Amino acid sequence: MYLGIDVGGTHTDGARLNDSFAIETTAKIPTRPGDVLGSFRDILTPLLAGINLAKVRRLVISSTLGLNAILTGQAEAVGVLATGGPGLGAEYFGKGPLYAPLTGQQDHRGEVLQTQDKTEAWAAVERLLAAGAEAFAVISKFGPKNPELENILAAAVRLKASNRPLTEASRLSGRLNFPRRLNTAIFNSSVTRLYEDFISNLEAAAHDFGLTCPLRLLTADGGALTLEDARLKPVQVLAAGPAAGLLGLWSLASLTDDALMVDIGGTSTDLAVIADGEPLLTTEGLEINGYPTLVRAFLTQSIALGGDLGLVSHQGRVEFIERREGPALALCPKEVGRRPPTFTDALNVLGLTAVGQIEVSQEALAALAPERPALKTAAATLETALAIIRTAAGNLLNQVNNRPVYTLNEIRLTRPVTPKVVAFLGGPAAALAKPVAETLGLTALTPPEAAVANAIGAARSRPCLAANLYADTALGTLTVPTLGFKKTIGRDYNVSQAKAELIAVLTEALTRLPEAGPPQITEVETFNQLTSYGQADKIIRLRAQSRAGLLGTAL
């Protein structure tokens, strides 16, 4: 059996699949406010009822815990130690009391031009601690090609602040984009302690229930990360919710053509584009709170629209309050007058849903805009929601068709995407499928079990791990930074050897993830260079990955 749990802001969903990945049981419960772990325990009870626990092979959890901490300002403050190189200096990429540009320098090949003074690094750590740093990140401009300077900075942090979380930027991504690597490292450290506690509690809860199967956390690109890796790289699991929805749709709908996904929750709605039946990846990486990162992620867009969002009437228009007000007033009649009605109350009045006491929703909508009937206010609410979705869908499709996007094989999509179908997930999916499809001019599709698709997607997620290799025959160095691998090479080292090396290193890393598919080379770049000795040398850059996908399907 395979278990999947998705802890959302409003509901927690669970699914249990059998060995053939058919659905055995599903469950949906209200999420405990501010208590992800309590919701996890609550959903385990119905999922595990009456089964032989020894037959559970794996449990994957999707959660917005860390993302919510970042968005609400509850993540830890991160102090950064940075070294630079040719071009823009390290001081250009950050400012403020928690950012310390230092004197170490290395060139575009990774060769150290000026080593980092340890005394300067120690003083910087002490200065950052005094400025309020609760965690640390270290970064060097060309660190993925040679982590020597990052190692010096990391040693300084371990010496002066050994009890604080620490992220070495090159261990998160082997790509060279300095601003994105910097943001990725900062976000990683900011939630490290949060996830350490969460994972320890997950393990304790699973033990209390008698579960001995591997536990995984869902990643933004649809992978299933071990708890060991999640402790080191929690930034990878921040945007798991949209990924869970895409995997669920992929599992439930068997799409083969282009489609648009609309996953409607209680707090937000996630949009995504399907090309030839498969989700697309972001060009560079996930954007978190307006900051671009190098976190591999499905291409999705989240908008503030959900069943539990409150409503306000302003100059004859109905608008959404961009925060969750709680369940529909139809479910909480004693709260009428204390807080505004919700989108679900409006859908009740329109007859699209039948949640709780319908008459309470009618009274609340009538009080929201006394100058007109409740039915007209509800209709205006729906029109506002449709306009929000219409605009967001148009923007997402423009992004897909006007900028580079990539398939799961990291191959650039070279044709325009033209969806004919819009697929709906989430609790309100059935209620909104027809009006949303009509406003988009597409055919509506609501797959079976759409309300718990995220949990089903989590249960079937296949681990996907990626790594970059850099080799420079003139310097005699080879590194796979995200896996901490480094070796010396000769001047006759070639691309074929590098490919075999990277596949071997990644295969070894995947031994802890037996569900993963075999790694494959997805990018190859070689540059010939003539050294000062008149000898031809090579710079080799490779990328390999185990492909994302669903358990039970061919890769």
Side-chain angles (χ1 to χ4, degrees):
M1 303 174 192
Y2 296 86
L3 304 182
I5 293 174
D6 177 69
V7 186
T10 304
H11 290 100
T12 295
D13 301 333
R16 187 176 79 227
L17 313 182
N18 66 18
D19 238 6
S20 301
F21 304 102
I23 300 168
E24 283 197 345
T25 189
T26 62
K28 180 184 284 285
I29 62 171
T31 297
R32 295 190 188 190
D35 188 3
V36 172
L37 190 64
S39 302
F40 172 70
R41 287 178 175 270
D42 290 345
I43 201 73
L44 274 179
T45 300
L47 288 184
L48 300 180
I51 67 169
N52 181 353
L53 296 180
K55 292 186 176 181
V56 179
R57 295 194 173 187
R58 195 187 67 169
L59 167 58
V60 181
I61 303 104
S62 163
S63 167
T64 56
L65 174 71
L67 186 60
N68 289 343
I70 291 170
L71 297 179
T72 58
Q74 296 176 7
E76 292 195 313
V78 179
V80 178
L81 282 73
T83 64
L88 295 174
E91 66 276 4
Y92 177 84
F93 298 99
K95 59 184 179 180
L98 293 181
Y99 186 80
L102 304 177
T103 55
Q105 299 277 308
Q106 49 188 155
D107 65 15
H108 66 282
R109 293 166 60 191
E111 189 167 11
V112 175
L113 303 176
Q114 179 178 342
T115 193
Q116 177 56 52
D117 180 75
K118 295 179 181 179
T119 304
E120 181 193 32
W122 297 341
V125 175
E126 292 173 345
R127 191 167 63 252
L128 293 172
L129 284 170
E134 300 168 295
F136 285 86
V138 299
I139 184 169
S140 55
K141 193 170 183 184
F142 296 101
K145 294 191 174 183
N146 178 7
E148 180 179 333
L149 294 184
E150 283 189 13
N151 293 342
I152 294 173
L153 300 179
V157 174
R158 293 188 181 101
L159 179 66
K160 298 291 183 176
S162 60
N163 62 335
R164 306 297 171 98
L166 168 64
T167 297
E168 298 172 58
S170 297
R171 297 298 300 269
L172 292 179
S173 175
R175 295 165 67 186
L176 286 174
N177 188 310
F178 189 97
R180 284 180 177 269
R181 272 198 306 125
L182 175 62
N183 293 336
T184 307
I186 291 173
F187 284 130
N188 193 75
S189 278
S190 74
V191 296
T192 292
R193 199 134 43 188
L194 177 69
Y195 274 96
E196 285 177 351
D197 292 342
F198 176 58
I199 290 169
S200 295
N201 287 327
L202 279 181
E203 291 172 322
H207 179 269
D208 290 346
F209 276 87
L211 279 175
T212 57
C213 65
L215 304 182
R216 306 273 193 262
L217 293 184
L218 192 70
T219 62
D221 61 350
L225 202 63
T226 66
L227 297 189
E228 177 185 357
D229 286 337
R231 282 186 165 101
L232 297 173
K233 303 176 182 180
V235 69
Q236 295 186 12
V237 306
L238 291 181
L246 266 169
L247 291 174
L249 176 61
W250 196 5
S251 175
L252 294 170
S254 301
L255 296 171
T256 56
D257 298 318
D258 297 350
L260 180 71
M261 181 196 83
V262 179
D263 185 355
I264 307 168
T267 309
S268 62
T269 293
D270 297 321
L271 305 180
V273 173
I274 308 292
D276 294 329
E278 293 190 358
L280 299 174
L281 292 167
T282 54
T283 306
E284 293 288 345
L286 180 68
E287 188 171 292
I288 300 173
N289 206 21
Y291 292 90
T293 74
L294 288 174
V295 177
R296 294 176 73 247
F298 287 140
L299 179 60
T300 62
Q301 181 175 344
S302 296
I303 54 177
L305 178 68
D308 288 350
L309 293 192
L311 307 175
V312 63
S313 181
H314 180 67
Q315 296 181 347
R317 281 180 48 81
V318 179
E319 299 175 355
F320 287 89
I321 302 169
E322 293 189 359
R323 65 176 183 271
R324 182 175 179 269
E325 289 292 336
L329 289 177
L331 294 171
C332 311
K334 293 182 179 180
E335 296 184 23
V336 173
R338 299 178 187 173
R339 61 176 176 86
T342 69
F343 187 28
T344 299
D345 287 305
L347 297 177
N348 268 353
V349 173
L350 292 170
L352 295 175
T353 56
V355 175
Q357 301 178 38
I358 308 300
E359 64 277 9
V360 173
S361 294
Q362 293 170 336
E363 293 169 7
L365 267 290
L368 181 67
E371 71 277 9
R372 61 188 173 192
L375 187 60
K376 286 192 175 182
T377 299
T381 302
L382 178 59
E383 185 51 46
T384 299
L386 295 177
I388 292 171
I389 294 175
R390 192 165 55 240
T391 299
N395 291 340
L396 182 58
L397 284 170
N398 285 337
Q399 177 183 348
V400 168
N401 290 328
N402 294 322
R403 304 178 194 173
V405 293
Y406 292 83
T407 68
L408 287 175
N409 284 319
E410 300 279 358
I411 297 172
R412 181 172 173 175
L413 191 69
T414 57
R415 63 166 183 83
V417 177
T418 55
K420 303 249 182 334
V421 171
V422 53
F424 292 89
L425 305 176
L432 291 173
K434 186 173 184 293
V436 171
E438 288 177 350
T439 197
L440 296 176
L442 302 174
T443 300
L445 169 66
T446 304
E449 303 289 359
V452 291
N454 286 22
I456 294 167
R460 292 195 64 180
S461 61
R462 186 188 293 272
C464 51
L465 190 63
N468 291 72
L469 176 148
Y470 294 97
D472 189 322
T473 60
L475 297 178
T477 59
L478 179 152
T479 63
V480 183
T482 55
L483 299 178
F485 181 82
K486 186 175 182 178
K487 69 176 289 187
T488 300
I489 58 174
R491 304 191 91 142
D492 59 347
Y493 196 81
N494 59 45
V495 173
S496 295
Q497 290 173 293
K499 287 181 178 179
E501 191 95 60
L502 181 54
I503 290 296
V505 172
L506 193 51
T507 299
E508 173 64 25
L510 288 168
T511 57
R512 296 178 291 107
L513 296 165
E515 319 100 294
Q520 53 189 334
I521 300 292
T522 58
E523 293 179 26
V524 179
E525 287 184 337
T526 62
F527 305 94
N528 294 322
Q529 57 179 343
L530 195 65
T531 68
S532 57
Y533 300 101
Q535 184 169 347
D537 280 288
K538 293 184 290 295
I539 294 175
I540 302 169
R541 188 184 74 83
L542 306 178
R543 180 179 175 83
Q545 70 169 80
S546 59
R547 186 172 177 267
L550 299 173
L551 293 179
T553 58
L555 290 175

